[in-house]
Amino acid sequence: MTLLQVQGLTKSFGARRVLRDVSFSVGEGEIVGLVGTNGAGKSTLGDVLAGITAADGGTMTLMGHPYAPLSVEDARHLGVGVVQQLVRIDPGLTVAQAVFRGTAQAGRPQAELRPQAQVLLAEVALDVDPDTLIGDLPHFVHGLVETARVLAEDTRLVVLDEVSAALLPLEVSRLHAVTGRLSRQGRGVLYISHRLPEMLEVVDRVLVLREGRIALDSASADLDPVRLAAETVGAPVTLPPPRVASVAPPAPQGSPAGDDAPQELVPARATARPLPAQDEVALQVRNLRVPGRVEGVDLLLHRGEVIGLTGHRSSGVAEIADALTGELPAVTDELLLHGEPRSLGPADDRGLRLPAYHPDEDAYGVDPGETIARTLTQEAWGALTDIRKEIASLRGVIRTVHRLDVKTLSISTVFGALSGGDQHKLALARWMASAHDVVVLHEPTRGLDVRARMQVRQLLDEATAHGTSVVVVSVDPDELAECCDRVGIVSGGRVARWIDTRELAVDAVRDRIVEAATAA
């Protein structure tokens, strides 16, 4: 029986048409996947279903009745629950209160909510005390708290919008188990994700949204990740080849690439040369220790190399990254940056504080109300300058926007009006343009489609070609396989195993990472 019927849905933001005559259905007990490139309209469609924004045209019915929610609360009352990747929950609530907010049990004493919350949290494999304040939890956990809340609600349709983007493979498996339970209860599920292999494991049907229209409606059994990726971008797609780390010599002083030339945010690809294993060491760490969390880690990072670190939440991987960026006190037996001794003391002038990029919920660290042009311009806006440099700078912004395939009609568009994926790409390009030497990237391709992931990989290749060395911290095995030369599996405060990704196909590397992480 049809649960949700959408017919001829349209939505525009100014002159930009986001949804164009979108029609589809979700049956009772059916799990339907929704995929599309960044900017294709997925989140807008999810917002319409959730009551966050209203459609301009078209009709929707839920269980045979007209459905046009006026707000998120109205949508919940009518039977539609939404779990978003960047959900915002009052930090002053306890976990138990957050799980039952908006339900019939909201407002009951904490002591009564606690045992019921523990059962629901166990369902989503979230091992936290129900008395913990939301503000004391890492942000990636909030999506799982929201998923537990959906289980507590009497919703008929559940929209999961990129909930799995920041989850470990084991956590994704538990999320899929919850999705299966919702299906067996007769609820419908709309599963939005860019992680195509994992999505195909759980959905019954797949919808491809391309340029605001449903371009494909197919049974999942008739698709594989490569074909689905091709349908998503509307062009043939092949899995990326093994990454070859490379460096190029710096541009000579006074050359066109010198200080007087306009700087593009995405530099042209340099002629690459293979990086031999015995080449210049950028960073060497011996016996890194963080009391109670990291028991002794050795790291060796060459110039122009990308290494990855991954592990379970309690493995110590986050603490290793925080120690390298100076956010957490740590000690080592030896620490060399380009052969020069350094320390990890936060108060020490010689302390190592590697720059770090975090794709966070706060507009990726930029002002969402600022225009693309102002956000990506290197020098201060309005400063007295040579008009030729100003024009060259704006041309560089335009080249960056076109090269990264950002969905916008103008570089005067405010940054916050872009899709989340386009914001991420531009913010990372902006950050990488000024990143030199050794840097730490947290989940650089999180929430990005297959084409955007390849663009981010190109950003990394171009940076490493000019000598930048990168540490990628991620829970996504596909991201690690695509971006890294070596991947360290962290367990029990140590690197239990290194996986060399070079000369291996991406899917083979992914399988090894998942296998090693599961065994660790």
Side-chain angles (χ1 to χ4, degrees), residues 133-151:
L133 292 178
I134 289 293
D136 293 335
L137 294 177
H139 197 83
F140 71 85
V141 167
H142 293 189
L144 293 176
V145 173
E146 275 295 275
T147 305
R149 182 186 61 76
V150 166
L151 289 177

Side-chain angles (χ1 to χ4, degrees), residues 5 19 51 61 112 151 196 235 237 288 292 310 312 315 320 343 363 388 399 416 427 430 472 506 511 513:
Q5 182 70 54
L19 300 178
T61 60
E112 296 180 17
L151 289 177
L196 305 185
V237 172
L288 169 68
T310 190
H312 296 301
S315 66
I320 295 172
S343 72
R388 291 173 299 176
R399 281 194 294 269
R430 175 179 181 260
V472 172
V506 168
D511 291 344
I513 293 172

Side-chain angles (χ1 to χ4, degrees), residues 452-498:
R453 291 169 77 102
M454 294 178 71
Q455 291 167 342
V456 167
R457 176 178 160 172
Q458 186 178 20
L459 288 176
L460 294 183
D461 285 349
E462 289 163 350
T464 57
H466 288 84
T468 300
S469 305
V470 183
V471 179
V472 172
V473 182
S474 177
V475 299
D476 184 351
D478 290 309
E479 178 175 65
L480 294 165
E482 292 166 7
C483 295
C484 303
D485 304 308
R486 292 181 291 126
V487 177
I489 310 297
V490 182
S491 177
R494 299 178 182 273
V495 179
R497 179 183 175 187
W498 284 98

Side-chain angles (χ1 to χ4, degrees), residues 147-166:
T147 305
R149 182 186 61 76
V150 166
L151 289 177
E153 288 185 325
D154 186 23
T155 51
R156 301 307 304 158
L157 175 70
V158 178
V159 181
L160 300 177
D161 189 357
E162 290 288 355
V163 178
S164 67

